[in-house]
Amino acid sequence: MLLDDPQWQASYEQITRLKREGKVLHWGIRSTIMRPRPRLRVLEDPIFETAQVIYNIYDRFPERALFKRAKTKPLA
C-alpha cells in the first residue's frame, strides 16, 4: 500500500491503535519496490521502527539514504 493510497489513513489509524493498546510491540516495513521516496517517507514516522529493503551489489540505495535515516531513529 502506498502512502498516497486513500486507504492508508484508515490503515495507519489501526496500526497506531494496536500499538497503543499493547497488542503490537513493534511495526516495520518491507519494501521490494525500487522507488526510494515512499520508503523514506514511511520511516519518517516514529511508529515504524524497522525496514527490510533490497540491498545487494546491484541495488545499493539503502547505503546512500536509508542507512543514514536509520541512524537517526531510536533503537529498541
Side-chain angles (χ1 to χ4, degrees):
M1 178 178 300
L2 296 174
L3 296 176
D4 298 332
D5 188 310
Q7 295 178 355
W8 171 244
Q9 187 60 39
S11 296
Y12 185 80
E13 290 170 7
Q14 294 298 321
I15 288 168
T16 55
R17 180 184 59 79
L18 291 169
K19 184 145 185 175
R20 186 175 53 248
E21 292 175 358
K23 294 179 179 176
V24 174
L25 295 178
H26 304 284
W27 282 103
I29 61 166
R30 178 178 183 267
S31 177
T32 58
I33 60 174
M34 296 297 179
R35 297 175 307 213
R37 296 248 187 261
R39 293 183 271 192
L40 290 173
R41 284 178 50 203
V42 166
L43 290 176
E44 288 174 359
D45 194 301
I47 196 87
F48 295 102
E49 300 163 318
T50 66
Q52 179 183 8
V53 296
I54 295 171
Y55 179 66
N56 59 48
I57 195 169
Y58 304 109
D59 182 11
R60 297 185 67 152
F61 169 76
E63 192 173 277
R64 295 186 303 274
L66 289 176
F67 289 0
K68 289 177 188 174
R69 179 67 51 93
K71 289 180 182 179
T72 66
K73 295 187 73 71
L75 301 175

